[in-house]
Amino acid sequence: MKTYLVGGAVRDSLLGLEAGDRDWVVVGATQQQMETQGFKAVGRDFPVFLHPHTGEEHALARTERKSGRGYRGFVVDADPSVTLEEDLQRRDFTLNAIARDEASGELVDPWGGVRDIEQRVLRHVGPAFIEDPLRVLRAARFMARFAPLGFTLAPETAALMRQVAASGELDALVPERIWQELRKALRAARPSAFLRTLHDTGALGAILPEVEALYGVPQRAEFHPEVDTGMHQEMVSDMAARLALGDDLVGFAALTHDLGKALTPADELPRHVMHEQRGLKPLAALCERLKVPADHRLLAEAACREHLNVHRIDELRDATVLELIARCDGLRRPERIAQMALVCECDKRGRLGFEDSDYPQRATLLRLHAAALSVNARDIATAGLQGPAIGEALRKARVKAIADARTKTP
C-alpha cells in the first residue's frame, strides 16, 4: 500500500502557483484496509475516502472503461492490482497525470506532463479522452486559466474535441456540470480562451448556442472597431475578469449582455436597434436550460435591458434615472446597481482600442443612486401623509435628490 500526491496540487507546484486542495491516490489497498485505518468512505461512483486527521481526499487507484453515453457511463475497477501508471493513464490531460511520492519527492510522469508544462501545452493523455464529453469543457476551462501563462491547446487535442462535438455526446452533459465549469471559467483570468476554444472546436453551439450565435454578426465599426460581435463578447468577458477580479456574478452578466445582437434582422445590420429587449428571450432560455441561480439571472437581465441607458445616463431625465434604479431593484438591493455599473463599464471598454478608456458613467450612476438611497421613507411619513401619498412624496424627494446630485461636483 503506497500513497501519492496527484493532480492539481502537483501541477500547480510545478507552475509556481499557489496550490489548492490536495488529492491523493492509494495504490495496492482495498476499501476494507482504508476503513480499518480510519478513513471515511464518501465516494458514490468510485472509492474515495477522507483522511481521518487531515480530511483530504484519498482515492484508490482505478481504471475506467466506457459503458454508456455521457460522462457517467463508465465501469470502474479499483482492484489492488491497479498500478499507479494505469491510474494516471485514465486522467484527462498530461499536466494532471503527474504523481509525487511525498516521502522521496520523486515525480512519476509516464505521459510527459512535466515536458508539456515546460512547453506550455495542454495535451490529452490518450485516446480515451473522447469517452468523457465533460473533458471538452474542462479543456476550455483550463485554457481560460492557463492561457495567460502562455499555454496553447495541442492540435491533436483540439481534433479530438471536434470529434466529441460532432458526435453529439455533449448533449449528455447535465446542466449542473455545464454551469459549474462555466462559473470556473468566468472566474479565471481569461474567459475569452474558454469561449474561443469551444468555438474553434465546434463545441460552443452545443454548450452556449446563444453565445455561439454572436460570432460573425457585424457591428458598426465607429463604435466597435473589432466589428465581430463574438470578438466583442470575448473582450467584454476578459474585461470583466480584469475589473471584477473573478466575480462570476458580474462575469455572467457581462457574458450575456449582448445576446440580442444575434437576433437583429439582416436588413438592419450592422445597426442593432432594440437589441437590449431582444436579448431578454435568449437570456431566459439560457438561464432556464442551465438552471442559473436567481442572483446571476436577475443581474444579467438588468444589464441586458439597461446597459445602453447607463451608457447615456447624462442624457436621461432625473425621473428616468430613478425608474432605471427601481427596475433593477436597486432601492431594495443596492449592490445590484454597483454590479450593473461595472458590467456596463466592461461593455464599453471591451472594444478594440477602448481597453484603457475612461467610463465616467459608472461613477455618475453610483452617485445618483446614492442620492436616491439617502432619502428616508420614515422622514417622508412624518409630514402627515398617508397611503399612496407617501409613495408619491418619496418618489418626488428621490428625484429631487438625484437632480441635486447632478449639480454637485463629484
Side-chain angles (χ1 to χ4, degrees):
M1 176 176 174
K2 189 154 186 174
T3 302
Y4 297 86
L5 184 67
V6 294
V10 179
R11 175 199 67 218
D12 290 348
S13 68
L14 293 173
L15 284 167
L17 302 175
E18 181 179 351
D21 295 336
R22 300 198 306 170
D23 295 320
W24 304 83
V25 65
V26 182
V27 179
T30 65
Q31 179 164 340
Q32 183 178 355
Q33 286 175 303
M34 296 294 288
E35 292 178 344
T36 298
Q37 295 188 29
F39 285 83
K40 179 182 178 181
V42 294
R44 184 182 69 175
D45 300 321
F46 47 83
V48 179
F49 308 84
L50 298 183
H51 191 282
H53 303 302
T54 66
E56 293 177 335
E57 288 192 357
H58 288 61
L60 297 185
R62 67 185 189 271
T63 61
E64 296 173 346
R65 176 172 54 83
K66 185 75 167 175
S67 63
R69 185 174 170 82
Y71 66 96
R72 286 180 174 168
F74 290 88
V75 174
V76 174
D77 178 11
D79 188 86
S81 64
V82 175
T83 68
L84 176 62
E85 288 74 14
E86 287 173 326
D87 180 90
L88 295 175
Q89 185 178 21
R90 68 170 177 80
R91 296 173 184 269
D92 48 9
F93 305 104
T94 60
L95 50 69
N96 291 331
I98 309 169
R100 186 170 69 205
D101 184 333
E102 288 298 271
S104 67
E106 179 185 359
L107 294 177
V108 180
D109 178 29
W111 310 109
V114 173
R115 175 204 63 212
D116 285 342
I117 286 175
E118 291 172 347
Q119 296 180 358
R120 297 298 195 256
V121 176
L122 182 67
R123 190 191 317 275
H124 66 285
V125 171
F129 177 88
I130 63 173
E131 296 179 352
D132 185 354
L134 184 63
R135 290 176 172 178
V136 172
L137 274 180
R138 284 173 57 82
R141 193 247 298 172
F142 277 126
M143 287 304 299
R145 181 182 180 192
F146 294 132
L149 300 180
F151 273 80
T152 59
L153 183 65
E156 59 270 30
T157 303
L160 289 184
M161 291 172 66
R162 293 188 188 95
Q163 185 176 335
V164 175
S167 73
E169 277 275 306
L170 293 173
D171 295 336
L173 294 174
V174 298
E176 292 81 2
R177 292 308 302 267
I178 296 175
W179 175 245
Q180 181 181 10
E181 294 296 321
L182 176 58
R183 288 188 72 173
K184 289 178 180 178
L186 293 174
R187 292 197 293 263
R190 194 174 297 173
S192 65
F194 176 84
L195 299 175
R196 176 59 62 173
T197 299
L198 293 178
H199 173 70
D200 287 348
T201 56
L204 188 58
I207 303 300
L208 294 169
E210 298 85 358
V211 178
E212 171 64 24
L214 297 175
Y215 286 88
V217 176
Q219 304 166 109
R220 294 173 63 181
E222 64 267 37
F223 300 118
H224 288 274
E226 71 284 353
V227 180
D228 186 280
T229 308
M231 183 178 295
H232 168 58
Q233 182 53 63
E234 291 180 8
M235 298 179 71
V236 173
S237 290
D238 281 355
M239 188 60 65
R242 171 181 163 186
L243 299 183
L245 303 177
D247 183 344
D248 59 80
L249 192 63
V250 171
F252 180 71
L255 174 69
T256 56
H257 80 287
D258 259 355
L259 295 182
K261 288 184 176 179
L263 301 179
T264 300
D267 60 354
E268 294 181 13
L269 296 173
R271 300 174 69 245
H272 291 278
V273 179
M274 301 292 289
H275 76 273
E276 324 91 274
Q277 287 73 27
R278 287 176 175 143
L280 294 173
K281 185 175 180 179
L283 173 59
L286 188 159
C287 291
E288 179 69 20
R289 187 178 67 255
L290 297 187
K291 299 182 167 92
V292 173
D295 281 347
H296 288 73
R297 175 177 57 82
L298 291 171
L299 177 61
E301 289 174 351
C304 178
R305 185 182 61 240
E306 308 291 352
H307 64 276
L308 289 191
N309 286 328
V310 176
H311 291 340
R312 60 187 185 92
I313 192 167
D314 291 333
E315 304 170 21
L316 301 183
R317 295 183 299 113
D318 301 325
T320 304
V321 172
L322 180 59
E323 291 166 3
L324 184 158
I325 292 170
R327 282 196 301 273
C328 300
D329 203 14
L331 299 173
R332 190 177 66 91
R333 299 284 302 273
E335 71 279 4
R336 187 164 293 152
I337 299 301
Q339 292 162 342
M340 188 178 68
L342 183 54
V343 174
C344 293
E345 180 170 355
C346 294
D347 174 37
K348 194 68 173 184
R349 293 173 61 180
R351 311 179 189 203
L352 196 61
F354 287 76
E355 295 87 347
D356 297 313
S357 61
D358 292 330
Y359 187 69
Q361 294 94 326
R362 178 182 172 191
T364 298
L365 176 58
L366 296 180
R367 187 173 76 254
L368 301 186
H369 179 224
L373 289 176
S374 70
V375 179
N376 194 312
R378 288 171 298 190
D379 295 337
I380 301 298
T382 59
L385 300 174
Q386 295 183 352
I390 296 177
E392 178 59 20
L394 182 60
R395 186 192 71 81
K396 289 181 178 179
R398 284 172 171 162
V399 171
K400 184 179 185 303
I402 289 173
D404 292 343
R406 284 191 189 271
T407 63
K408 294 179 181 177
T409 303

